[in-house]
Amino acid sequence: MTDAINPQHYKGFTGGAEPIDIAEHVGFNLGNVIKYTPRAGRKDDRLQDLHKALYYLQREIAREETKK
């Protein structure tokens, strides 16, 4: 039986850590960067996951630039 809430592609990182363990402490955009990069290619297309991470990183950069 598969776990729809916490599927296998979220698991199996060093020390049993999951991306959510880190992501929930850094805000939405950076959290998504952290979510997509370590699991890139584990669920879907690796390049697609990297593009998703880049999208959120660019949003975070733009947000920071508006603060200046």
Side-chain angles (χ1 to χ4, degrees):
M1 177 180 247
T2 60
D3 183 349
I5 304 299
N6 196 17
Q8 195 60 38
H9 61 269
Y10 289 157
K11 301 174 185 174
F13 294 95
T14 303
E18 296 179 25
I20 195 169
D21 296 329
I22 300 164
E24 66 187 4
H25 299 286
V26 296
F28 185 79
N29 289 327
L30 292 179
N32 278 311
V33 172
I34 292 168
K35 177 177 77 173
Y36 283 113
T37 51
R39 70 177 198 187
R42 289 176 169 238
K43 177 184 176 187
D44 292 320
D45 179 73
R46 179 176 168 80
L47 188 57
Q48 179 182 354
D49 288 337
L50 294 173
H51 278 290
K52 289 177 183 178
L54 179 59
Y55 169 79
Y56 287 107
L57 182 57
Q58 289 171 329
R59 288 184 62 90
E60 185 64 17
I61 290 169
R63 192 175 77 79
E64 287 294 318
E65 288 176 340
T66 63
K67 291 181 179 180
K68 293 183 177 193

